[in-house]
Amino acid sequence: MLFFRLGPVRLLLDRTAPSSLLYLEVEDLPGAVERLRTSGTDVESEPHVIFTHADDTLGPDGTDEWHAFVRDSEGNLVGLVSRVPSVA
């Protein structure tokens, strides 16, 4: 897995990832997932921490990066991401 920072966009290269995957940043990840679930969206992966930012290389220092995954109306996998202050 390899990330490239391209201004405000991060490009992920990963052999196991689908050919294209869009990540959307949301402020309240658990709330967004619940609203989508209530509207009938298939939730593939519940919110979970994937990374703690120890510096500003890929995200704000001292934040945890949370991800969840849902399927859009055409069946494409969509990533939802949120960064929140780390709990030490």
Side-chain angles (χ1 to χ4, degrees):
M1 177 182 341
L2 181 63
F3 281 104
F4 289 96
R5 189 175 207 175
L6 308 167
V9 175
R10 288 189 313 184
L11 172 64
L12 167 65
L13 301 179
D14 184 346
R15 288 184 195 181
T16 63
S19 60
S20 133
L21 177 59
L22 179 66
Y23 285 84
L24 303 173
E25 187 169 359
V26 297
E27 287 187 30
D28 174 16
L29 184 57
V33 168
E34 193 53 40
R35 285 188 299 280
L36 288 166
R37 185 190 328 274
T38 300
S39 72
T41 301
D42 291 331
V43 176
E44 293 288 323
S45 173
E46 297 294 331
H48 58 283
V49 174
I50 64 143
F51 189 75
T52 298
H53 297 278
D55 58 33
D56 290 325
T57 302
L58 292 174
D61 182 22
T63 60
D64 289 335
E65 187 158 321
W66 288 74
H67 284 194
F69 295 91
V70 298
R71 294 275 172 189
D72 70 11
S73 59
E74 287 75 37
N76 299 302
L77 190 63
V78 177
L80 303 175
V81 61
S82 184
R83 292 180 196 91
V84 298
S86 297
V87 178

